[in-house]
Every structure is written in structure tokens, then in C-alpha cells.
């Protein structure tokens, strides 16, 4: 899936069984994802320190150099791409990362005017599927941090249903992005066979934001 970005930025989201095309042979930054909010900044000076075989723990990459490429892996968690005139930022916003507002943290890292930023929210598990037990510690954190319109409580099964994509969009709007500059794919990874889905049984294979 080609992401519509300016000519200077070549961004793709590789779904299930899609060949890895347009991948340059450059130093590659691919951190070990830990479902947090840490974002590493990769620039002209330090790109070799973060490139493979090194795999620092992080769920976001702020890329400000053309000397390296970067990617993150997904199977139900939300891929988020934020870009401006001088950078591209890749984010892995799973449930915990969304609770911690990794998208808002990413926007705070950049110096460009927020109104000039663009964002793409890719395929992720849908609101009607992603549920958690109401008594779970992280569920309670989600109830406190998510905007109220982005979760539902089902008394029948005692579960809270969370809208990851909807909450990420709310967080980006709250951070100051123009709604016209936010692209939401609205693809449910659990229901769409073009996608890998952890909850549907894909424990190892992943899609890639590159």
C-alpha cells in the first residue's frame, strides 16, 4: 500500500503477502518494539548507532536523514506515519502505546508548525473487536486516558471495547494537527484477510511500515 506523501518521502505499508518493493539498500533502523512510547531520533550523525544489527528498544522513529531507512512491524496495533517538510516519523501505537499517547509525544518532538504536519493512521484492529476485561489494570488506564467517544462498555460480557484508530486521531487533533491533514485508512486487521492479525492467530508474521 503506497502512502500518499510528498515526492521527497517514499513511504509504504506492506500488507499480507505483499512483496517488499522500493526498499533501498541503506542502513536500516528497525528497533525492538516493546509497546511503550519511546521514540528514537535518527539523524545524519547518529544513524549508524541505531541501524541493524543494533536494535534499541523503541516504538517510534523520528527520521531526519536520507542516509538511512526505517521500518516497524504490525499485526493489529496501529501504524502511524507523521511527516513534515524535514522529517518522517514512524510510530507503533498498540493499546499501551495509545494509552501512553505516543502520537502526542511524537508531535512534541518536532519543531515544525503543527498545522503544517500530516499524519496517516494505517490498518489496525477494529473497535467492535478489540476488547479488554474491565478489571484489568491497563484497561482502567485506558478508561482514564482515552477520549470518551473512543470506548464502549458492554455490561453483558463485562468488557471495554476500545477504538485505537479513533483515539489516535483524537490525540493528533488535540496535539494541534488539522483534521484535513489526517488520513485514516479504516481497515480492520482482524476482519480483512489482506492483513496479519495477532488476535486472529498470526503470532509471528507481521506487516511493515517502511
Amino acid at each position: 500500500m503506497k502512502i500518499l506523501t510528498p515526492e521527497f518521502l517514499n513511504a509504504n505499508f506492506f500488507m499480507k503477502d505483499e512483496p517488499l518493493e522500493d526498499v533501498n539498500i541503506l542502513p536500516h533502523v528497525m528497533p525492538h518494539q516493546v509497546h511503550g512510547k519511546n521514540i528514537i531520533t535518527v539523524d545524519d550523525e547518529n544513524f549508524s548507532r541505531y541501524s541493524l544489527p543494533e536494535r534499541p528498544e523503541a516504538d517510534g522513529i523520528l527520521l531526519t536523514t536520507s542516509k538511512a531507512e526505517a521500518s516497524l512491524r504490525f499485526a493489529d496495533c496501529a501504524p502511524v506515519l507523521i511527516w513534515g517538510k524535514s522529517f518522517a516519523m514512524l510510530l507503533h501505537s498498540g493499546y499501551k502505546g495509545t494509552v501512553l499517547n505516543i502520537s502526542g509525544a511524537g508531535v512534541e518532538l518536532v519543531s515544525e508548525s503543527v498545522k503544517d504536519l500530516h499524519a496517516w493512521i494505517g490498518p489496525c484492529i477494529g473497535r467492535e473487536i478489540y476488547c479488554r476485561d474491565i478489571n484489568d489494570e491497563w484497561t482502567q488506564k485506558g478508561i482514564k486516558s482515552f477520549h470518551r467517544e473512543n470506548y464502549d462498555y458492554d455490561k453483558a460480557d463485562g468488557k471495554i471495547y476500545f477504538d485505537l484508530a479513533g483515539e489516535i486521531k483524537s490525540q493528533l487533533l488535540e496535539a494541534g494537527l488539522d483534521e484535513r491533514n489526517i488520513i485514516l485508512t479504516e481497515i480492520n486487521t482482524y476482519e480483512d484477510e489482506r492483513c496479519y492479525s495477532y488476535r486472529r492467530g498470526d503470532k509471528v508474521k507481521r506487516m511493515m511500515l517502511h
Side-chain angles (χ1 to χ4, degrees):
M1 178 189 298
K2 178 67 178 177
I3 304 172
L4 296 177
T5 55
E7 289 185 3
F8 72 85
L9 178 59
N10 181 25
N12 297 276
F13 186 70
F14 296 98
M15 298 175 72
K16 187 176 181 180
D17 299 327
E18 283 189 318
L20 295 178
E21 299 174 346
D22 297 324
V23 176
N24 297 320
I25 303 175
L26 291 171
H28 196 112
V29 180
M30 191 175 184
H32 175 55
Q33 297 164 216
V34 293
H35 294 272
K37 63 178 292 186
N38 185 41
I39 301 169
I40 56 175
T41 299
V42 181
D43 57 33
D44 286 344
E45 304 300 324
N46 69 7
F47 68 90
S48 60
R49 176 156 56 96
Y50 290 121
S51 300
L52 293 174
E54 300 300 322
R55 296 198 68 194
E57 291 190 351
D59 287 272
I61 306 163
L62 172 56
L63 195 63
T64 63
T65 178
S66 59
K67 297 180 179 179
E69 58 187 12
S71 62
L72 294 172
R73 303 169 73 241
F74 302 86
D76 284 339
C77 296
V80 181
L81 177 67
I82 302 173
W83 69 90
K85 296 178 180 178
S86 61
F87 76 92
M89 184 183 299
L90 292 72
L91 301 176
H92 166 247
S93 191
Y95 173 73
K96 291 184 178 180
T98 305
V99 170
L100 297 171
N101 194 5
I102 188 173
S103 296
V107 173
E108 290 181 359
L109 284 177
V110 301
S111 58
E112 294 183 26
S113 171
V114 177
K115 290 296 183 182
D116 294 331
L117 303 185
H118 294 255
W120 175 88
I121 305 168
C124 64
I125 195 164
R127 178 184 191 139
E128 64 276 20
I129 299 296
Y130 188 69
C131 61
R132 299 178 63 92
D133 190 295
I134 191 171
N135 296 314
D136 178 78
E137 176 186 359
W138 273 94
T139 301
Q140 291 299 315
K141 290 181 179 180
I143 292 171
K144 292 178 182 178
S145 68
F146 270 54
H147 293 75
R148 182 62 188 88
E149 65 269 20
N150 294 321
Y151 69 87
D152 300 299
Y153 173 49
D154 189 328
K155 293 182 180 180
D157 62 10
K159 303 289 187 181
I160 304 292
Y161 289 76
F162 291 97
D163 183 353
L164 296 186
E167 179 60 21
I168 294 165
K169 181 177 180 180
S170 295
Q171 292 170 351
L172 291 170
L173 290 171
E174 195 168 75
L177 269 74
D178 189 322
E179 185 169 12
R180 295 170 296 181
N181 292 345
I182 301 174
I183 301 168
L184 186 62
T185 62
E186 298 183 341
I187 295 175
N188 183 340
T189 52
Y190 185 86
E191 295 181 342
D192 195 318
E193 291 293 335
R194 296 174 299 168
C195 302
Y196 290 118
S197 168
Y198 185 87
R199 284 212 171 188
R200 203 176 60 229
D202 296 310
K203 304 302 182 183
V204 177
K205 293 183 177 181
R206 297 290 183 266
M207 298 175 289
M208 183 181 292
L209 174 62
H210 179 87

